[in-house]
Coordinates of all heavy atoms in Angstrom, one line a residue:
G1 N -25.3 11.3 12.3 CA -26.1 10.3 12.9 C -27.4 9.9 12.2 O -28.4 9.3 12.8
R2 N -27.5 10.2 10.9 CA -28.8 10.0 10.2 C -28.8 8.6 9.5 O -29.8 8.3 8.8 CB -29.0 11.1 9.2 CG -29.2 12.5 9.9 CD -29.4 13.6 8.9 NE -29.6 14.9 9.5 CZ -29.6 16.0 8.9 NH1 -29.6 16.1 7.5 NH2 -29.8 17.2 9.5
L3 N -27.7 7.9 9.5 CA -27.7 6.6 8.9 C -27.7 5.5 9.8 O -28.3 4.5 9.6 CB -26.4 6.5 8.0 CG -26.2 7.4 6.8 CD1 -24.9 7.1 6.1 CD2 -27.5 7.3 5.8
L4 N -27.1 5.6 11.0 CA -26.9 4.6 12.0 C -27.2 5.1 13.3 O -27.2 6.3 13.5 CB -25.5 4.0 12.0 CG -25.0 3.4 10.6 CD1 -23.5 3.1 10.6 CD2 -25.8 2.1 10.2
D5 N -27.4 4.2 14.3 CA -27.5 4.7 15.7 C -26.2 5.1 16.2 O -25.2 5.0 15.6 CB -28.2 3.6 16.6 CG -27.3 2.4 16.7 OD1 -26.0 2.4 16.6 OD2 -27.9 1.3 16.8
E6 N -26.2 5.7 17.4 CA -25.0 6.4 17.9 C -23.8 5.4 18.1 O -22.7 5.7 17.7 CB -25.3 7.0 19.3 CG -24.1 7.8 19.9 CD -24.4 8.4 21.2 OE1 -25.6 8.4 21.5 OE2 -23.5 9.0 21.8
S7 N -24.0 4.2 18.5 CA -23.0 3.3 18.8 C -22.4 2.8 17.4 O -21.2 2.6 17.3 CB -23.4 2.1 19.6 OG -24.4 1.3 18.9
H8 N -23.2 2.5 16.5 CA -22.7 2.0 15.2 C -22.0 3.2 14.4 O -21.1 3.0 13.6 CB -23.8 1.3 14.4 CG -24.2 0.1 15.0 ND1 -25.3 -0.1 15.8 CD2 -23.6 -1.2 14.8 CE1 -25.4 -1.4 16.1 NE2 -24.4 -2.1 15.6
T9 N -22.6 4.4 14.5 CA -21.9 5.5 13.9 C -20.5 5.7 14.4 O -19.6 5.9 13.7 CB -22.7 6.8 14.2 OG1 -24.0 6.7 13.6 CG2 -22.0 8.0 13.6
D10 N -20.4 5.6 15.8 CA -19.1 5.7 16.4 C -18.1 4.6 15.9 O -16.9 4.8 15.7 CB -19.2 5.7 17.9 CG -17.9 5.9 18.6 OD1 -17.4 7.1 18.6 OD2 -17.3 5.0 19.2
E11 N -18.7 3.4 15.7 CA -17.9 2.3 15.3 C -17.3 2.4 13.9 O -16.1 2.1 13.7 CB -18.7 1.0 15.5 CG -18.0 -0.3 15.1 CD -18.8 -1.5 15.3 OE1 -19.9 -1.5 15.8 OE2 -18.4 -2.6 14.8
I12 N -18.1 2.8 13.0 CA -17.6 3.0 11.7 C -16.7 4.2 11.6 O -15.7 4.1 10.8 CB -18.8 3.1 10.7 CG1 -18.3 2.9 9.3 CG2 -19.5 4.5 10.8 CD1 -19.5 2.7 8.2
I13 N -17.0 5.3 12.3 CA -16.0 6.4 12.3 C -14.7 6.0 12.9 O -13.6 6.3 12.3 CB -16.6 7.6 13.1 CG1 -17.7 8.3 12.3 CG2 -15.5 8.6 13.4 CD1 -18.4 9.3 13.0
E14 N -14.7 5.2 13.9 CA -13.4 4.6 14.5 C -12.7 3.8 13.5 O -11.5 3.9 13.3 CB -13.7 3.8 15.7 CG -12.5 3.3 16.5 CD -11.6 4.4 17.0 OE1 -12.2 5.5 17.4 OE2 -10.4 4.2 17.1
H15 N -13.5 3.0 12.7 CA -12.8 2.2 11.7 C -12.2 3.0 10.6 O -11.1 2.9 10.1 CB -13.8 1.2 11.0 CG -13.3 0.5 9.9 ND1 -12.3 -0.5 10.0 CD2 -13.6 0.6 8.5 CE1 -12.0 -1.0 8.8 NE2 -12.8 -0.3 7.9
M16 N -12.9 4.1 10.2 CA -12.4 5.0 9.1 C -11.2 5.8 9.6 O -10.3 6.1 8.8 CB -13.6 5.9 8.7 CG -14.6 5.2 8.0 SD -16.1 6.3 7.6 CE -15.4 7.4 6.4
L17 N -11.2 6.2 10.9 CA -10.0 6.8 11.5 C -8.7 6.0 11.4 O -7.6 6.4 11.3 CB -10.3 7.3 12.9 CG -11.2 8.5 13.0 CD1 -11.6 8.6 14.5 CD2 -10.5 9.7 12.6
S18 N -8.9 4.6 11.5 CA -7.8 3.7 11.5 C -7.3 3.2 10.2 O -6.3 2.5 10.1 CB -8.1 2.5 12.3 OG -9.1 1.7 11.8
I19 N -8.1 3.6 9.1 CA -7.6 3.1 7.7 C -6.3 3.7 7.3 O -6.1 4.9 7.4 CB -8.8 3.6 6.7 CG1 -10.0 2.7 6.9 CG2 -8.3 3.5 5.3 CD1 -11.2 3.1 6.1
S20 N -5.4 2.9 6.8 CA -4.1 3.3 6.5 C -3.8 3.4 5.1 O -2.7 3.8 4.6 CB -3.1 2.3 7.2 OG -3.3 0.9 6.7
T21 N -4.8 3.0 4.2 CA -4.5 3.0 2.7 C -4.5 4.4 2.2 O -4.0 4.6 1.1 CB -5.7 2.3 2.0 OG1 -7.0 2.8 2.4 CG2 -5.7 0.8 2.3
G22 N -4.9 5.4 3.1 CA -4.8 6.8 2.7 C -3.7 7.5 3.3 O -3.6 8.8 3.2
D23 N -2.8 6.8 3.9 CA -1.7 7.5 4.6 C -0.8 8.4 3.7 O -0.2 9.4 4.1 CB -0.7 6.5 5.3 CG -1.3 5.9 6.5 OD1 -2.4 6.4 7.0 OD2 -0.7 5.0 7.1
E24 N -0.8 8.0 2.4 CA 0.0 8.8 1.4 C -0.9 9.7 0.6 O -0.4 10.2 -0.5 CB 0.8 7.9 0.5 CG 1.8 6.9 1.3 CD 2.8 7.8 2.1 OE1 3.3 8.8 1.6 OE2 3.1 7.4 3.2
R25 N -2.1 9.9 1.0 CA -3.0 10.7 0.2 C -3.3 12.0 0.9 O -2.4 12.7 1.3 CB -4.3 9.9 -0.2 CG -3.9 8.7 -1.0 CD -5.1 7.9 -1.6 NE -4.6 6.9 -2.5 CZ -5.4 6.0 -3.2 NH1 -6.6 6.3 -3.3 NH2 -4.8 5.0 -3.9
I26 N -4.6 12.3 1.0 CA -4.9 13.7 1.7 C -4.3 13.7 3.1 O -3.8 14.8 3.5 CB -6.4 13.8 1.8 CG1 -7.0 14.0 0.4 CG2 -6.8 15.0 2.7 CD1 -8.5 14.1 0.3
K27 N -4.3 12.6 3.8 CA -3.8 12.7 5.2 C -2.3 13.1 5.3 O -1.8 13.7 6.2 CB -4.0 11.3 5.8 CG -3.5 11.2 7.3 CD -3.8 9.8 7.8 CE -3.4 9.7 9.3 NZ -3.7 8.3 9.8
A28 N -1.6 12.7 4.2 CA -0.1 13.0 4.1 C 0.1 14.5 4.1 O 1.2 15.0 4.5 CB 0.6 12.4 2.9
G29 N -0.8 15.3 3.6 CA -0.6 16.8 3.5 C -1.2 17.5 4.7 O -1.0 18.7 4.9
L30 N -2.0 16.9 5.6 CA -2.6 17.5 6.7 C -1.6 17.7 7.9 O -0.6 17.0 8.0 CB -3.8 16.7 7.2 CG -5.0 16.5 6.3 CD1 -6.0 15.5 6.9 CD2 -5.7 17.8 6.1
P31 N -1.9 18.7 8.7 CA -1.0 18.8 9.9 C -1.0 17.5 10.7 O -2.1 16.9 10.8 CB -1.7 20.0 10.7 CG -2.3 20.8 9.6 CD -2.8 19.7 8.6
T32 N 0.1 17.2 11.2 CA 0.3 15.9 12.0 C -0.9 15.8 13.1 O -1.0 16.8 13.9 CB 1.6 15.7 12.6 OG1 2.6 15.7 11.6 CG2 1.8 14.4 13.4
G33 N -1.5 14.7 13.3 CA -2.5 14.5 14.3 C -3.9 15.0 13.9 O -4.8 14.8 14.8
T34 N -4.1 15.5 12.8 CA -5.5 15.9 12.4 C -6.4 14.7 12.2 O -6.1 13.9 11.4 CB -5.4 16.7 11.1 OG1 -4.7 17.8 11.2 CG2 -6.9 17.1 10.7
P35 N -7.4 14.6 13.0 CA -8.4 13.5 12.8 C -9.0 13.5 11.4 O -9.6 14.5 11.0 CB -9.4 13.7 13.9 CG -8.8 14.7 14.8 CD -7.9 15.5 14.0
F36 N -8.9 12.5 10.7 CA -9.5 12.3 9.3 C -10.0 10.9 9.2 O -9.3 9.9 8.9 CB -8.4 12.6 8.3 CG -8.9 12.6 6.9 CD1 -10.1 13.3 6.6 CD2 -8.2 12.0 5.8 CE1 -10.5 13.4 5.2 CE2 -8.7 12.1 4.5 CZ -9.9 12.7 4.3

C-alpha cells in the first residue's frame, strides 16, 4: 500500500489476478487455485 490508497491498490491487484496472458507461464506450474 505504499504506491496507491487502499481502494486503488485493491483495484489494480484485482486486475492483475484476472490477467490471462500468463496462464501458460508461472501460473501453469502453480498448484490449482493459487492466487497470483
Side-chain angles (χ1 to χ4, degrees):
R2 296 178 180 175
L3 295 182
L4 304 168
D5 60 32
E6 184 176 353
S7 65
H8 288 97
T9 297
D10 187 70
E11 183 176 346
I12 197 169
I13 287 176
E14 183 63 31
H15 173 67
M16 292 171 67
L17 285 167
S18 69
I19 286 176
S20 60
T21 54
D23 285 353
E24 301 302 320
R25 298 191 180 187
I26 291 173
K27 186 177 179 179
L30 296 171
T32 302
T34 302
F36 185 46

